[in-house]
Amino acid sequence: MSQLQFEQAERASTLLPPAQVDGRIDRYFQIAKHGSTPSREVVAGVTTFMAMVYSVFVVPAMLGKAGFDVRAVFIAVCLTAAFGSLLMGFWARLPIAVGCAISLTAFVAFDLVLGKGLSPEVALGAVFLMGVVFTAISLTGVRTWILQNLPTGVAHGTGVGIGLFLLLIASNDVGLVVKNAGAGLPVALGQITSFPVVMSVLGLAAIFGIEQRRIPGGILLVIVAISAIGLAFDPNVHFKGVFAWPQLSAPGQTSLIGAVNIMDALHMAVLPSVLALVMTAVFDATGTIRAVAGQAGRVDAKGCIHNGGKALTADSVSSIFSSLVGGAPAAAYIESGVGTAAGGRTGLTAVVVGLLFLGLIFFSPLASLVPSYATAPALMYVGLLMLGNVARMNMDDKIDALAGLVCAVFILLCCNIATGIMLGFCTLVIGRLVSGEWRKLNVGTVSIAVALAVFYAGGWAI
């Protein structure tokens, strides 16, 4: 349905009695066919929103460290979640919400900008390129070839490595782990009795308990509670209001809307990072969409996801949109599973999520109220969940699994996701050749390994 058709239908619906309006909604989303009701879909949408709304605090906090304006990012995150979820709901008609990915946000902020020294505009250009490549992969069916031919060990190892990366970022940000100024290892234990560290550890433990109870919006509740404690006892936390007219740039600063620098992002030194973003996005999106769609009963007997191609395209196009409004890469949120558990079965669930995020753009002052030690527990929790990818590694194929672990460990040790992926691919290919298992290799894996090795050996990689 085009935007014009939707607006015409919306205008016409105002002239119809409620029963007929519900009937049009039911027919479009096929709610009854999938064993649900409009009211149940709305409840599921609200539940999903509560489970993922913590991202509007975590993402601005991370990008703020990289020099982005926090309030502007808050609005960009809301707009991205609104756009992606509405596109997923109206077009793919699946109960899957989309938002700025926590893991890929860390990549942009701490790897591309702070690590490699790229400007926010060039980093947004890399996000734009990632979205374009991912969209092309989704539309042409190359994604299937990638999933069948690229090593699963490195794919899962990338998830583990990003999880460790998130844990290091959050721990360092609150002072739990600090740079070692003396001799010995590069890191050391910080002041474990300091207020930020205590709040972070208590918050993480609280998230464990509240998530075990399956309370909707549990992570958000912890962030709100710690922020309230900070407002009461931390002189650095100030209340700056609740409502504000949306502003996509701070006074005196240049807006990042449409500021993507694509030409500089095409520099050879940046391309390995674009590749890392694409690989991570492809595997993450496919796994998340399959898991949520399966829980909603939208996977057929052959294992095909209903409107799976549209869902992946909605995911990738959302990253393009996010780069244009100054946000982080977008992704389907695994928290959508909370909504399907509440009965969500159709795209109406995602539409409700999108509308709620759209209304949230008027609450940007709240982003300044949340201290880093309030968002750190959420980052740590997401990082710990990502470590679960270890269980997906096939330890019967030791070379594949160990190459994945090399990828994971060196993402952390080098604080560089592209470097970890490069080492994972290279150790896999060389290991296969030395062991005589060269038949298990394919052209795609060898080509990527050689290309990454050339990038690093030639000194082009940052």
Side-chain angles (χ1 to χ4, degrees):
M1 176 180 285
S2 68
Q3 181 65 27
L4 178 60
Q5 289 173 321
F6 175 71
E7 291 175 354
Q8 291 173 341
E10 187 177 37
R11 286 195 297 269
S13 69
T14 61
L15 305 177
L16 298 173
Q20 292 187 36
V21 174
D22 288 346
R24 295 171 76 98
I25 294 174
D26 180 86
R27 286 193 299 273
Y28 182 78
F29 291 106
Q30 299 181 324
I31 297 173
K33 176 183 176 181
H34 293 290
S36 186
T37 63
S39 60
R40 187 181 301 165
E41 295 293 305
V42 171
V43 170
V46 173
T47 303
T48 300
F49 172 78
M50 292 298 294
M52 63 180 286
V53 72
Y54 69 91
S55 62
V56 301
F57 302 115
V58 177
V59 173
M62 285 194 287
L63 291 181
K65 300 288 184 183
F68 288 68
D69 177 54
V70 172
R71 285 198 182 186
V73 175
F74 180 95
I75 296 172
V77 172
C78 293
L79 290 175
T80 300
F83 174 86
S85 298
L86 289 171
L87 184 62
M88 184 73 77
F90 280 120
W91 189 45
R93 306 189 198 186
L94 289 170
I96 301 172
V98 176
C100 290
I102 303 298
S103 58
L104 296 181
T105 300
F107 189 6
V108 171
F110 295 92
D111 194 333
L112 296 184
V113 180
L114 294 177
K116 293 180 170 61
L118 301 182
S119 68
E121 292 80 5
V122 176
L124 291 175
V127 175
F128 178 88
L129 291 175
M130 181 273 282
V132 170
V133 174
F134 189 9
T135 300
I137 287 172
S138 301
L139 292 175
T140 59
V142 176
R143 178 190 62 88
T144 302
W145 180 89
I146 290 175
L147 293 175
Q148 291 175 346
N149 291 280
L150 291 188
T152 56
V154 174
H156 297 316
T158 302
V160 174
I162 293 175
L164 293 169
F165 194 32
L166 290 176
L167 285 166
L168 179 61
I169 290 170
S171 300
N172 178 253
D173 194 33
V174 298
L176 176 58
V177 174
V178 298
K179 182 179 180 180
N180 186 3
L185 294 175
V187 296
L189 178 66
Q191 294 183 346
I192 198 166
T193 58
S194 67
F195 185 76
V197 170
V198 171
M199 287 293 99
S200 299
V201 174
L202 290 178
L204 179 61
I207 290 177
F208 289 168
I210 206 166
E211 287 296 301
Q212 183 67 21
R213 288 177 172 268
R214 301 180 184 274
I215 297 175
I219 296 177
L220 174 64
L221 292 176
V222 172
I223 292 175
V224 171
I226 296 178
S227 297
I229 294 173
L231 183 62
F233 298 102
D234 188 347
N236 296 316
V237 179
H238 306 286
F239 179 73
K240 298 181 180 179
V242 176
F243 304 99
W245 189 255
Q247 293 182 340
L248 287 163
S249 64
Q253 292 188 11
T254 304
S255 173
L256 288 177
I257 292 184
V260 291
N261 187 338
I262 300 172
M263 295 306 298
D264 285 344
L266 287 169
H267 193 277
M268 291 188 69
V270 185
L271 289 179
S273 296
V274 175
L275 173 64
L277 281 168
V278 172
M279 283 187 53
T280 304
V282 168
F283 282 95
D284 181 67
T286 303
T288 299
I289 291 171
R290 179 173 295 278
V292 178
Q295 188 175 0
R298 306 299 298 273
V299 178
D300 62 24
K302 296 181 180 180
C304 296
I305 304 171
H306 176 71
N307 283 341
K310 290 183 178 180
L312 284 167
T313 304
D315 185 304
S316 59
V317 170
S318 297
S319 285
I320 297 176
F321 175 86
S322 184
S323 69
L324 296 176
V325 297
Y333 259 62
I334 193 62
E335 283 84 354
S336 301
V338 177
T340 57
R345 295 292 179 269
T346 74
L348 182 57
T349 294
V351 169
V352 171
V353 175
L355 293 175
L356 289 172
F357 271 107
L358 198 59
L360 200 59
I361 63 174
F362 299 98
F363 296 85
S364 61
L366 293 177
S368 303
L369 179 63
V370 180
S372 60
Y373 52 80
T375 57
L379 265 183
M380 293 177 182
Y381 180 69
V382 173
L384 289 170
L385 290 181
M386 295 185 73
L387 300 187
N389 282 289
V390 170
R392 300 179 183 178
M393 293 182 175
N394 180 16
M395 297 307 295
D396 292 331
D397 186 349
K398 286 187 178 180
I399 294 178
D400 182 70
L402 291 173
L405 291 175
V406 166
C407 172
V409 169
F410 281 93
I411 285 176
L412 175 68
L413 296 181
C414 299
C415 292
N416 190 307
I417 297 172
T419 300
I421 291 175
M422 181 272 292
L423 291 172
F425 268 96
C426 290
T427 53
L428 173 71
V429 171
I430 295 172
R432 293 288 197 211
L433 293 175
V434 173
S435 68
E437 297 179 349
W438 57 270
R439 290 182 180 84
K440 292 184 178 181
L441 294 171
N442 56 67
V443 175
T445 299
V446 174
S447 299
I448 292 175
V450 171
L452 288 173
V454 169
F455 266 109
Y456 276 80
W460 292 305
I462 300 176

